Structures are given as C-alpha cells and as structure tokens.
Coordinates of all heavy atoms in Angstrom, one line a residue:
M1 N -175.0 174.8 -2.2 CA -173.7 174.3 -1.8 C -173.7 172.8 -1.9 O -174.5 172.1 -1.4 CB -173.4 174.8 -0.4 CG -172.0 174.4 0.1 SD -171.9 175.1 1.8 CE -170.2 175.4 1.8
T2 N -172.7 172.2 -2.5 CA -172.6 170.8 -2.7 C -171.6 170.2 -1.8 O -170.6 170.8 -1.5 CB -172.2 170.4 -4.2 OG1 -171.0 171.0 -4.5 CG2 -173.3 170.8 -5.1
S3 N -171.8 169.0 -1.4 CA -170.9 168.3 -0.4 C -169.8 167.7 -1.2 O -170.0 167.1 -2.3 CB -171.7 167.2 0.3 OG -170.8 166.4 1.0
T4 N -168.6 167.8 -0.7 CA -167.4 167.1 -1.3 C -167.0 165.9 -0.6 O -165.9 165.3 -0.9 CB -166.2 168.1 -1.4 OG1 -165.9 168.5 0.0 CG2 -166.5 169.3 -2.3
A5 N -167.7 165.4 0.4 CA -167.4 164.2 1.2 C -167.5 163.0 0.3 O -168.5 162.9 -0.5 CB -168.3 164.1 2.4
P6 N -166.6 162.1 0.3 CA -166.7 160.9 -0.5 C -167.9 160.1 -0.1 O -168.3 159.9 1.0 CB -165.4 160.1 -0.2 CG -164.9 160.7 1.0 CD -165.4 162.0 1.2
V7 N -168.6 159.5 -1.1 CA -169.8 158.7 -0.9 C -169.3 157.2 -0.9 O -168.6 156.8 -1.8 CB -170.8 158.9 -2.0 CG1 -172.0 158.0 -1.8 CG2 -171.2 160.4 -2.0
K8 N -169.7 156.5 0.1 CA -169.3 155.1 0.2 C -170.3 154.3 -0.5 O -171.5 154.3 -0.3 CB -169.3 154.7 1.7 CG -168.3 153.7 2.1 CD -168.5 153.3 3.6 CE -167.2 153.3 4.3 NZ -167.3 152.8 5.6
S9 N -169.8 153.5 -1.5 CA -170.7 152.6 -2.3 C -170.8 151.3 -1.5 O -169.9 151.0 -0.7 CB -170.2 152.4 -3.7 OG -169.1 151.5 -3.7
S10 N -171.9 150.6 -1.8 CA -172.1 149.3 -1.1 C -171.0 148.3 -1.5 O -170.7 147.4 -0.7 CB -173.4 148.7 -1.4 OG -173.5 148.5 -2.8
S11 N -170.3 148.4 -2.6 CA -169.3 147.5 -3.0 C -167.9 147.9 -2.3 O -167.0 147.1 -2.4 CB -169.1 147.5 -4.5 OG -168.7 148.7 -5.0
A12 N -167.9 149.0 -1.7 CA -166.6 149.4 -1.0 C -166.7 149.2 0.5 O -166.0 149.9 1.2 CB -166.4 150.9 -1.3
K13 N -167.4 148.2 0.9 CA -167.5 147.8 2.3 C -166.1 147.3 2.8 O -165.4 146.7 2.0 CB -168.5 146.8 2.6 CG -169.9 147.3 2.4 CD -170.9 146.1 2.8 CE -172.3 146.6 2.7 NZ -173.3 145.6 3.1
T14 N -165.8 147.6 4.0 CA -164.6 147.1 4.6 C -164.8 145.6 4.9 O -165.9 145.1 5.0 CB -164.3 147.8 5.9 OG1 -165.3 147.6 6.9 CG2 -164.1 149.3 5.7
T15 N -163.7 144.9 5.1 CA -163.8 143.5 5.5 C -164.6 143.3 6.8 O -165.4 142.4 6.9 CB -162.4 142.9 5.7 OG1 -161.6 143.1 4.5 CG2 -162.4 141.4 6.0
A16 N -164.4 144.2 7.7 CA -165.2 144.1 9.0 C -166.7 144.2 8.7 O -167.5 143.5 9.3 CB -164.7 145.2 10.0
E17 N -167.0 145.2 7.8 CA -168.5 145.3 7.5 C -169.0 144.1 6.8 O -170.1 143.7 7.1 CB -168.7 146.6 6.6 CG -168.5 147.9 7.4 CD -168.5 149.1 6.5 OE1 -168.0 149.0 5.3 OE2 -168.9 150.2 6.9
K18 N -168.2 143.5 5.9 CA -168.7 142.3 5.2 C -168.8 141.1 6.0 O -169.7 140.3 5.8 CB -167.7 142.0 4.0 CG -167.8 142.9 2.8 CD -166.9 142.4 1.7 CE -165.7 143.2 1.5 NZ -164.8 142.7 0.4
T19 N -168.0 141.0 7.1 CA -168.1 139.8 7.9 C -168.9 140.0 9.1 O -169.3 139.0 9.8 CB -166.6 139.5 8.4 OG1 -166.2 140.5 9.2 CG2 -165.7 139.2 7.3
G20 N -169.3 141.2 9.5 CA -170.1 141.5 10.7 C -169.2 141.5 11.9 O -169.7 141.6 13.0
A21 N -167.9 141.4 11.8 CA -167.0 141.5 12.9 C -166.8 142.9 13.4 O -167.0 143.9 12.7 CB -165.6 140.9 12.5
H22 N -166.4 143.0 14.6 CA -166.2 144.3 15.2 C -164.7 144.7 15.3 O -164.4 145.8 15.8 CB -166.8 144.4 16.6 CG -168.3 144.3 16.5 ND1 -169.1 145.4 16.2 CD2 -169.2 143.3 16.7 CE1 -170.4 145.1 16.2 NE2 -170.5 143.8 16.4
T23 N -163.8 143.8 15.0 CA -162.4 144.1 15.0 C -161.8 143.6 13.7 O -162.3 142.7 13.1 CB -161.6 143.4 16.2 OG1 -161.7 142.0 16.0 CG2 -162.3 143.8 17.5
D24 N -160.7 144.2 13.3 CA -160.0 143.8 12.1 C -159.5 142.4 12.2 O -159.5 141.6 11.2 CB -158.9 144.8 11.7 CG -159.4 146.1 11.2 OD1 -160.5 146.2 10.8 OD2 -158.6 147.1 11.3
E25 N -159.0 142.0 13.4 CA -158.5 140.7 13.7 C -159.6 139.6 13.4 O -159.3 138.6 12.8 CB -157.9 140.6 15.1 CG -157.3 139.2 15.4 CD -156.8 139.2 16.8 OE1 -155.8 140.0 17.1 OE2 -157.3 138.5 17.6
A26 N -160.7 139.9 14.0 CA -161.9 138.9 13.8 C -162.3 138.9 12.4 O -162.6 137.8 11.9 CB -163.0 139.3 14.7
A27 N -162.3 140.0 11.7 CA -162.7 140.1 10.3 C -161.8 139.3 9.5 O -162.2 138.5 8.6 CB -162.8 141.5 9.8
A28 N -160.5 139.4 9.7 CA -159.5 138.6 9.0 C -159.7 137.1 9.2 O -159.6 136.3 8.2 CB -158.1 139.0 9.3
L29 N -159.9 136.7 10.4 CA -160.1 135.3 10.8 C -161.4 134.8 10.0 O -161.3 133.7 9.4 CB -160.3 135.1 12.3 CG -160.4 133.7 12.7 CD1 -159.3 133.4 13.7 CD2 -161.8 133.4 13.2
I30 N -162.4 135.5 10.1 CA -163.7 135.1 9.4 C -163.5 135.1 7.9 O -163.9 134.1 7.3 CB -164.8 136.1 9.8 CG1 -165.2 136.0 11.3 CG2 -166.0 135.9 8.9 CD1 -166.1 137.1 11.8
D31 N -162.8 136.0 7.3 CA -162.6 136.1 5.9 C -161.8 134.8 5.5 O -162.1 134.2 4.5 CB -161.9 137.4 5.5 CG -162.0 137.7 4.0 OD1 -163.1 137.5 3.5 OD2 -161.1 138.2 3.5
N32 N -160.8 134.5 6.2 CA -159.9 133.3 5.9 C -160.8 132.0 6.1 O -160.7 131.2 5.2 CB -158.7 133.3 6.9 CG -157.8 132.1 6.6 OD1 -158.1 131.3 5.7 ND2 -156.8 132.0 7.4
A33 N -161.6 131.9 7.1 CA -162.4 130.7 7.3 C -163.4 130.6 6.2 O -163.7 129.5 5.7 CB -163.1 130.8 8.7
R34 N -164.0 131.7 5.8 CA -165.0 131.7 4.7 C -164.3 131.2 3.4 O -165.0 130.5 2.6 CB -165.6 133.1 4.5 CG -166.7 133.4 5.6 CD -167.3 134.7 5.3 NE -168.3 135.0 6.3 CZ -168.9 136.1 6.4 NH1 -168.6 137.2 5.6 NH2 -169.9 136.3 7.3
S35 N -163.1 131.6 3.1 CA -162.4 131.1 2.0 C -162.2 129.6 2.0 O -162.4 128.9 1.0 CB -161.1 131.8 1.8 OG -161.2 133.2 1.6
R36 N -161.9 129.1 3.2 CA -161.7 127.7 3.3 C -163.0 127.0 3.1 O -163.1 125.9 2.5 CB -161.1 127.4 4.7 CG -159.7 127.9 4.8 CD -159.1 127.8 6.2 NE -159.2 126.5 6.8 CZ -159.3 126.2 8.1 NH1 -159.2 127.2 9.0 NH2 -159.4 125.0 8.6
I37 N -164.1 127.5 3.7 CA -165.5 126.9 3.5 C -165.8 126.9 2.0 O -166.3 125.9 1.5 CB -166.5 127.7 4.3 CG1 -166.4 127.3 5.8 CG2 -167.9 127.4 3.8 CD1 -167.3 128.0 6.8
D38 N -165.5 128.0 1.3 CA -165.8 128.1 -0.1 C -165.1 127.0 -0.9 O -165.7 126.3 -1.8 CB -165.5 129.4 -0.7 CG -166.4 130.5 -0.2 OD1 -167.5 130.2 0.3 OD2 -166.0 131.7 -0.4
A39 N -163.8 126.8 -0.5 CA -163.0 125.7 -1.2 C -163.6 124.3 -0.8 O -163.7 123.4 -1.7 CB -161.6 125.8 -0.7
L40 N -164.0 124.1 0.4 CA -164.7 122.9 0.8 C -166.0 122.7 0.0 O -166.3 121.6 -0.5 CB -164.9 122.8 2.3 CG -163.7 122.6 3.2 CD1 -164.1 122.9 4.6 CD2 -163.2 121.2 3.0
D41 N -166.8 123.7 -0.1 CA -168.0 123.6 -0.8 C -167.8 123.2 -2.3 O -168.5 122.4 -2.8 CB -168.8 124.9 -0.8 CG -169.5 125.2 0.6 OD1 -169.7 124.2 1.4 OD2 -169.9 126.3 0.9
D42 N -166.8 123.8 -2.9 CA -166.4 123.4 -4.3 C -166.1 121.9 -4.4 O -166.5 121.2 -5.3 CB -165.3 124.2 -4.8 CG -165.6 125.7 -5.1 OD1 -166.8 126.0 -5.2 OD2 -164.7 126.5 -5.2
R43 N -165.3 121.4 -3.4 CA -165.0 120.0 -3.4 C -166.2 119.1 -3.1 O -166.4 118.1 -3.8 CB -163.9 119.7 -2.3 CG -162.6 120.3 -2.7 CD -161.5 120.2 -1.6 NE -161.5 119.0 -0.9 CZ -160.9 118.8 0.3 NH1 -160.3 119.9 0.9 NH2 -160.8 117.7 0.9
I44 N -167.1 119.5 -2.2 CA -168.3 118.8 -1.9 C -169.2 118.7 -3.1 O -169.7 117.6 -3.5 CB -169.1 119.4 -0.7 CG1 -168.3 119.2 0.6 CG2 -170.5 118.8 -0.6 CD1 -168.7 120.0 1.8
I45 N -169.4 119.8 -3.8 CA -170.2 119.8 -5.0 C -169.6 118.8 -6.1 O -170.3 118.1 -6.7 CB -170.3 121.2 -5.6 CG1 -171.2 122.1 -4.7 CG2 -170.9 121.2 -7.0 CD1 -171.2 123.6 -5.0
G46 N -168.3 118.9 -6.2 CA -167.6 117.9 -7.2 C -167.9 116.5 -6.8 O -168.1 115.6 -7.6
L47 N -167.8 116.2 -5.5 CA -168.0 114.8 -5.0 C -169.4 114.4 -5.2 O -169.7 113.2 -5.5 CB -167.6 114.7 -3.5 CG -166.1 114.8 -3.2 CD1 -165.8 115.0 -1.7 CD2 -165.4 113.6 -3.8
V48 N -170.4 115.3 -5.0 CA -171.8 115.0 -5.2 C -172.0 114.7 -6.7 O -172.7 113.7 -7.0 CB -172.7 116.1 -4.7 CG1 -174.1 115.9 -5.1 CG2 -172.7 116.2 -3.1
Q49 N -171.4 115.5 -7.5 CA -171.6 115.2 -9.0 C -171.0 113.9 -9.4 O -171.5 113.1 -10.2 CB -170.9 116.4 -9.8 CG -171.7 117.6 -9.7 CD -171.0 118.8 -10.2 OE1 -169.8 118.9 -10.3 NE2 -171.8 119.8 -10.7
E50 N -169.8 113.5 -8.8 CA -169.2 112.2 -9.0 C -170.1 111.1 -8.5 O -170.3 110.1 -9.2 CB -167.8 112.2 -8.3 CG -167.1 110.9 -8.6 CD -165.7 110.9 -7.9 OE1 -165.3 111.9 -7.4 OE2 -165.1 109.8 -8.0
R51 N -170.7 111.3 -7.3 CA -171.6 110.3 -6.7 C -172.8 110.1 -7.6 O -173.3 109.0 -7.8 CB -172.0 110.8 -5.3 CG -172.8 109.7 -4.6 CD -173.3 110.3 -3.3 NE -173.8 109.3 -2.3 CZ -174.9 108.5 -2.5 NH1 -175.6 108.6 -3.6 NH2 -175.2 107.6 -1.6
M52 N -173.3 111.2 -8.2 CA -174.5 111.1 -9.1 C -174.1 110.3 -10.3 O -174.9 109.4 -10.8 CB -174.9 112.5 -9.5 CG -175.6 113.3 -8.4 SD -175.8 115.1 -8.7 CE -177.0 115.0 -10.0
A53 N -173.0 110.5 -10.9 CA -172.5 109.8 -12.1 C -172.4 108.3 -11.8 O -172.8 107.4 -12.6 CB -171.2 110.4 -12.6
I54 N -171.8 107.9 -10.7 CA -171.6 106.5 -10.3 C -172.9 105.9 -10.0 O -173.2 104.7 -10.4 CB -170.6 106.4 -9.1 CG1 -169.2 106.9 -9.4 CG2 -170.6 105.0 -8.5 CD1 -168.3 107.1 -8.3
S55 N -173.8 106.6 -9.4 CA -175.1 106.1 -9.1 C -175.9 105.8 -10.4 O -176.6 104.8 -10.5 CB -175.9 107.1 -8.2 OG -177.2 106.5 -7.9
A56 N -175.7 106.6 -11.4 CA -176.4 106.4 -12.7 C -175.9 105.1 -13.3 O -176.7 104.4 -13.9 CB -176.1 107.6 -13.6
V57 N -174.6 104.8 -13.2 CA -174.0 103.6 -13.7 C -174.6 102.4 -13.0 O -175.0 101.4 -13.7 CB -172.5 103.6 -13.6 CG1 -171.9 102.2 -13.9 CG2 -171.9 104.7 -14.5
I58 N -174.7 102.5 -11.7 CA -175.3 101.4 -10.9 C -176.8 101.1 -11.3 O -177.2 100.0 -11.5 CB -175.2 101.7 -9.4 CG1 -173.7 101.6 -9.0 CG2 -176.0 100.7 -8.6 CD1 -173.5 102.2 -7.6
Q59 N -177.5 102.2 -11.4 CA -178.9 102.1 -11.8 C -179.1 101.5 -13.2 O -180.0 100.6 -13.3 CB -179.6 103.5 -11.7 CG -179.8 104.0 -10.3 CD -180.4 105.4 -10.3 OE1 -181.3 105.7 -11.1 NE2 -179.8 106.3 -9.5
E60 N -178.3 101.9 -14.1 CA -178.4 101.4 -15.5 C -178.1 99.9 -15.4 O -178.8 99.1 -16.1 CB -177.4 102.1 -16.4 CG -177.4 101.6 -17.8 CD -178.8 101.9 -18.5 OE1 -179.5 102.9 -18.1 OE2 -179.1 101.1 -19.4
A61 N -177.1 99.5 -14.7 CA -176.7 98.0 -14.6 C -177.9 97.2 -14.0 O -178.2 96.1 -14.5 CB -175.4 97.8 -13.9
R62 N -178.5 97.8 -13.0 CA -179.5 97.1 -12.3 C -180.7 97.0 -13.2 O -181.3 95.9 -13.3 CB -179.9 97.9 -11.0 CG -180.8 97.1 -10.1 CD -181.2 97.8 -8.8 NE -180.0 98.1 -8.0 CZ -179.7 99.4 -7.6 NH1 -180.4 100.4 -8.0 NH2 -178.6 99.6 -6.9
I63 N -181.1 98.1 -13.9 CA -182.3 98.0 -14.8 C -182.0 97.1 -15.9 O -182.9 96.3 -16.3 CB -182.6 99.5 -15.3 CG1 -183.1 100.3 -14.1 CG2 -183.6 99.4 -16.4 CD1 -183.2 101.8 -14.4
T64 N -180.8 97.2 -16.5 CA -180.5 96.3 -17.7 C -180.6 94.8 -17.3 O -180.9 94.0 -18.1 CB -179.1 96.7 -18.2 OG1 -179.1 98.0 -18.6 CG2 -178.7 95.8 -19.4
S65 N -180.3 94.5 -16.1 CA -180.3 93.1 -15.6 C -181.7 92.7 -15.2 O -181.8 91.6 -14.7 CB -179.3 92.9 -14.5 OG -179.7 93.5 -13.3
G66 N -182.6 93.6 -15.3 CA -184.0 93.2 -14.9 C -184.4 93.6 -13.5 O -185.5 93.3 -13.1
G67 N -183.5 94.4 -12.9 CA -183.8 94.8 -11.5 C -184.5 96.1 -11.5 O -184.8 96.7 -12.5
R68 N -184.8 96.6 -10.3 CA -185.4 97.9 -10.1 C -184.4 99.0 -10.1 O -183.2 98.8 -9.8 CB -186.2 97.9 -8.7 CG -187.3 96.9 -8.7 CD -187.9 96.8 -7.3 NE -188.5 98.1 -7.0 CZ -189.7 98.3 -6.5 NH1 -190.4 97.2 -6.2 NH2 -190.1 99.5 -6.2
R69 N -184.8 100.2 -10.4 CA -183.9 101.3 -10.4 C -183.3 101.7 -9.1 O -182.2 102.1 -8.9 CB -184.6 102.6 -11.0 CG -183.7 103.8 -11.3 CD -184.4 104.8 -12.1 NE -185.6 105.4 -11.4 CZ -185.6 106.4 -10.6 NH1 -184.4 107.0 -10.3 NH2 -186.7 106.8 -10.0
I70 N -184.2 101.5 -8.0 CA -183.8 101.9 -6.7 C -183.7 100.6 -5.8 O -184.6 99.8 -5.9 CB -184.8 102.9 -6.1 CG1 -184.8 104.2 -6.9 CG2 -184.5 103.2 -4.6 CD1 -185.9 105.1 -6.6
N71 N -182.7 100.6 -4.9 CA -182.6 99.5 -4.0 C -182.8 100.0 -2.6 O -182.0 100.7 -2.0 CB -181.2 98.9 -4.1 CG -180.9 97.7 -3.2 OD1 -181.6 97.6 -2.1 ND2 -180.0 96.9 -3.5
L72 N -184.0 99.8 -2.1 CA -184.4 100.5 -0.8 C -183.6 100.0 0.4 O -183.3 100.8 1.3 CB -185.9 100.3 -0.6 CG -186.9 100.9 -1.6 CD1 -188.3 100.6 -1.3 CD2 -186.7 102.4 -1.6
S73 N -183.2 98.8 0.4 CA -182.4 98.3 1.5 C -181.0 99.0 1.5 O -180.5 99.4 2.6 CB -182.2 96.8 1.5 OG -181.5 96.4 0.4
R74 N -180.5 99.2 0.4 CA -179.2 100.0 0.3 C -179.4 101.4 0.8 O -178.6 102.0 1.5 CB -178.7 99.9 -1.1 CG -177.5 100.8 -1.4 CD -176.2 100.3 -0.6 NE -175.1 101.2 -1.0 CZ -174.1 101.5 -0.2 NH1 -174.0 101.0 1.0 NH2 -173.2 102.3 -0.7
E75 N -180.5 102.0 0.4 CA -180.8 103.4 0.8 C -180.9 103.5 2.3 O -180.5 104.5 2.9 CB -182.0 104.0 0.1 CG -181.8 104.2 -1.4 CD -182.8 105.1 -2.1 OE1 -183.8 105.5 -1.4 OE2 -182.6 105.4 -3.3
M76 N -181.6 102.5 2.9 CA -181.7 102.5 4.4 C -180.3 102.4 5.0 O -180.1 103.0 6.1 CB -182.6 101.3 4.8 CG -184.0 101.5 4.4 SD -184.8 103.0 4.9 CE -184.8 102.8 6.6
E77 N -179.4 101.6 4.4 CA -178.0 101.6 5.0 C -177.4 102.9 4.9 O -176.7 103.4 5.9 CB -177.2 100.6 4.1 CG -177.5 99.1 4.3 CD -176.6 98.3 3.3 OE1 -175.5 98.7 2.9 OE2 -177.1 97.2 3.0
I78 N -177.5 103.6 3.8 CA -176.9 105.0 3.6 C -177.5 105.9 4.6 O -176.8 106.7 5.3 CB -177.1 105.4 2.2 CG1 -176.3 104.5 1.3 CG2 -176.7 106.9 2.0 CD1 -176.6 104.7 -0.2
L79 N -178.9 105.9 4.8 CA -179.5 106.8 5.8 C -179.0 106.6 7.2 O -178.7 107.5 7.9 CB -181.0 106.6 5.8 CG -181.8 107.1 4.5 CD1 -183.2 106.6 4.5 CD2 -181.7 108.6 4.4
G80 N -178.8 105.3 7.5 CA -178.3 104.9 8.9 C -176.8 105.4 9.0 O -176.5 105.9 10.1
Q81 N -176.0 105.3 8.0 CA -174.6 105.7 8.1 C -174.5 107.2 8.3 O -173.8 107.7 9.2 CB -173.9 105.3 6.8 CG -172.5 105.8 6.7 CD -171.9 105.4 5.3 OE1 -172.5 104.8 4.4 NE2 -170.6 105.8 5.1
Y82 N -175.3 108.0 7.6 CA -175.3 109.4 7.8 C -175.9 109.9 9.1 O -175.4 110.8 9.8 CB -176.1 110.1 6.6 CG -175.2 110.3 5.4 CD1 -174.9 109.3 4.5 CD2 -174.7 111.6 5.1 CE1 -174.1 109.5 3.4 CE2 -173.9 111.8 4.0 CZ -173.7 110.7 3.1 OH -172.9 110.9 2.0
R83 N -176.9 109.2 9.5 CA -177.5 109.5 10.8 C -176.5 109.2 12.0 O -176.4 110.0 12.9 CB -178.8 108.7 11.0 CG -179.5 109.0 12.4 CD -180.7 108.0 12.7 NE -180.2 106.7 12.7 CZ -180.5 105.7 11.9 NH1 -181.3 105.9 10.9 NH2 -180.0 104.5 12.0
D84 N -175.9 108.1 11.9 CA -174.9 107.7 12.9 C -173.7 108.7 13.0 O -173.2 109.0 14.0 CB -174.4 106.3 12.7 CG -175.4 105.2 12.9 OD1 -176.5 105.5 13.5 OD2 -175.2 104.0 12.5
A85 N -173.3 109.2 11.8 CA -172.2 110.1 11.8 C -172.5 111.5 12.1 O -171.7 112.2 12.7 CB -171.5 110.0 10.4
L86 N -173.7 111.9 11.7 CA -174.1 113.4 11.8 C -175.3 113.7 12.6 O -175.7 114.8 12.7 CB -174.3 113.9 10.4 CG -173.1 113.8 9.5 CD1 -173.4 114.2 8.0 CD2 -171.9 114.6 10.0
G87 N -175.9 112.6 13.2 CA -177.2 112.9 13.9 C -178.4 113.0 13.0 O -178.3 112.8 11.8
K88 N -179.5 113.5 13.6 CA -180.7 113.7 12.8 C -180.5 114.5 11.5 O -181.1 114.1 10.5 CB -181.8 114.3 13.7 CG -183.1 114.3 13.1 CD -184.2 114.8 14.0 CE -185.6 114.8 13.3 NZ -186.6 115.4 14.1
P89 N -179.8 115.6 11.6 CA -179.6 116.3 10.3 C -178.9 115.5 9.2 O -179.1 115.8 8.0 CB -178.8 117.5 10.7 CG -179.0 117.7 12.2 CD -179.2 116.3 12.7
G90 N -178.1 114.5 9.6 CA -177.5 113.7 8.7 C -178.5 112.9 7.8 O -178.2 112.6 6.7
T91 N -179.6 112.5 8.5 CA -180.6 111.8 7.7 C -181.2 112.7 6.6 O -181.4 112.2 5.5 CB -181.8 111.4 8.7 OG1 -181.2 110.6 9.7 CG2 -182.8 110.5 8.0
S92 N -181.4 113.9 6.9 CA -181.9 114.9 5.9 C -180.9 115.0 4.8 O -181.3 115.1 3.6 CB -182.2 116.2 6.5 OG -183.3 116.1 7.5
L93 N -179.7 115.1 5.2 CA -178.6 115.3 4.1 C -178.6 114.1 3.2 O -178.5 114.2 2.0 CB -177.3 115.5 4.8 CG -176.0 115.6 3.9 CD1 -176.2 116.8 2.9 CD2 -174.8 115.8 4.7
A94 N -178.6 112.9 3.8 CA -178.6 111.6 3.1 C -179.8 111.6 2.1 O -179.7 111.1 1.0 CB -178.6 110.4 4.0
M95 N -181.0 112.0 2.6 CA -182.2 111.9 1.8 C -182.0 112.8 0.6 O -182.4 112.5 -0.5 CB -183.4 112.4 2.6 CG -183.9 111.3 3.5 SD -184.5 109.8 2.7 CE -185.9 110.4 1.8
T96 N -181.4 114.0 0.8 CA -181.2 114.9 -0.3 C -180.2 114.3 -1.3 O -180.4 114.4 -2.5 CB -180.6 116.3 0.2 OG1 -181.6 116.8 1.1 CG2 -180.3 117.2 -0.9
L97 N -179.1 113.7 -0.8 CA -178.2 113.1 -1.7 C -178.8 111.9 -2.5 O -178.6 111.8 -3.7 CB -177.0 112.5 -0.9 CG -175.9 113.5 -0.5 CD1 -174.9 112.9 0.5 CD2 -175.2 114.0 -1.7
L98 N -179.6 111.1 -1.8 CA -180.3 110.0 -2.5 C -181.2 110.5 -3.6 O -181.3 110.0 -4.7 CB -181.0 109.1 -1.5 CG -180.1 108.3 -0.5 CD1 -180.9 107.7 0.6 CD2 -179.3 107.3 -1.3
E99 N -181.9 111.6 -3.3 CA -182.8 112.2 -4.2 C -182.1 112.7 -5.5 O -182.5 112.4 -6.6 CB -183.6 113.3 -3.6 CG -184.7 113.9 -4.5 CD -185.5 115.0 -3.9 OE1 -185.5 115.0 -2.6 OE2 -186.0 115.8 -4.6
L100 N -181.0 113.4 -5.2 CA -180.1 113.8 -6.3 C -179.6 112.7 -7.2 O -179.5 112.8 -8.4 CB -178.9 114.6 -5.8 CG -179.2 116.0 -5.3 CD1 -178.0 116.6 -4.6 CD2 -179.5 116.9 -6.5
C101 N -179.2 111.6 -6.5 CA -178.6 110.5 -7.2 C -179.5 109.5 -7.9 O -179.1 108.7 -8.6 CB -177.7 109.7 -6.2 SG -176.2 110.7 -5.7
R102 N -180.8 109.6 -7.5 CA -181.8 108.8 -8.2 C -182.0 109.1 -9.6 O -182.4 108.3 -10.4 CB -183.1 108.8 -7.5 CG -183.1 108.1 -6.2 CD -184.5 108.2 -5.5 NE -184.5 107.7 -4.1 CZ -185.0 108.3 -3.1 NH1 -185.7 109.4 -3.3 NH2 -184.9 107.7 -1.9
G103 N -181.7 110.4 -10.0 CA -181.9 110.8 -11.3 C -183.4 110.9 -11.7 O -184.2 110.9 -10.8
R104 N -183.7 111.0 -12.9 CA -185.1 111.0 -13.4 C -185.5 109.6 -13.7 O -184.8 108.8 -14.3 CB -185.1 111.9 -14.6 CG -184.8 113.3 -14.3 CD -185.2 114.2 -15.5 NE -185.2 115.6 -15.0 CZ -184.2 116.4 -15.4 NH1 -183.3 116.0 -16.2 NH2 -184.2 117.7 -15.0
A105 N -186.8 109.4 -13.3 CA -187.4 108.0 -13.5 C -187.7 107.8 -14.9 O -187.9 108.6 -15.7 CB -188.6 107.9 -12.7

C-alpha cells in the first residue's frame, strides 16, 4: 500500500519555518526586516567597492609623488573614528575595510 499524503520538500517551507518565528505575524515582520537588511547589505557592498576605488587613486598619487602606499597616521584616524562610533567591534570593521582598500602591494 502506498501513501498518498503530499511530501513536503525543503524548498516548500512556510515563511514561519524559514524565519524561525512561531506566529505568522512575527514571520512577516522578520521577512520584511530581512529584505531591508538585504537591501542595506547591497548598498554597503557598493559603498565599500567605491571606497576601494577611491583609495586606489589616493595610493597611486602618493606612490607617484614618491610617497609610501600606506599612510599609517591616516589609518589610525580611521580606526579611532570607527571605534568611537561603534565601539570595539568598530575597530575590527575598520581594520577589515583598510585591508580591503590597501589593495595588493
């Protein structure tokens, strides 16, 4: 005898199951907030890419004029700015941004 009950595939999860919420109202709120976060992440990635491009221009100008590729005093300013705004995790975030923006030596 074979079962005729529908089989739930993993791609057919309900919104509540996908969000971990226990009510449809909470699931809808989470789903909406996640969409907003995704949009913010897209903007942040774009801004980081723009920052990387501008940093490359600055580095090239500095090197062409006989200077060093990296300006450590400027990097310390940036670290302080992020730390002041975001606390200790801000320092880590700034370090990651600076690493991305240094490009390849």
Side-chain angles (χ1 to χ4, degrees):
M1 182 178 214
T2 59
S3 171
T4 58
V7 177
K8 213 183 226 188
S9 76
S10 60
S11 63
K13 287 183 176 182
T14 66
T15 303
E17 289 171 327
K18 285 191 253 180
T19 63
H22 292 281
T23 66
D24 288 338
E25 182 179 294
L29 185 125
I30 291 168
D31 201 37
N32 182 359
R34 284 182 177 170
S35 292
R36 292 171 53 206
I37 285 174
D38 290 345
L40 287 169
D41 285 342
D42 289 343
R43 289 172 43 200
I44 291 167
I45 290 167
L47 289 169
V48 169
Q49 291 170 331
E50 183 178 352
R51 189 187 195 289
M52 291 168 66
I54 293 168
S55 183
V57 169
I58 292 168
Q59 288 175 41
E60 181 65 28
R62 193 180 298 121
I63 292 167
T64 300
S65 70
R68 298 174 61 132
R69 187 170 62 89
I70 297 170
N71 181 334
L72 294 177
S73 63
R74 173 66 176 149
E75 288 195 358
M76 293 305 294
E77 288 176 26
I78 293 165
L79 290 170
Q81 179 182 357
Y82 276 76
R83 182 190 59 246
D84 291 347
L86 303 171
K88 187 176 179 182
T91 304
S92 297
L93 177 60
M95 285 298 297
T96 300
L97 281 170
L98 289 170
E99 184 178 339
L100 283 168
C101 293
R102 285 180 189 138
R104 294 194 168 105

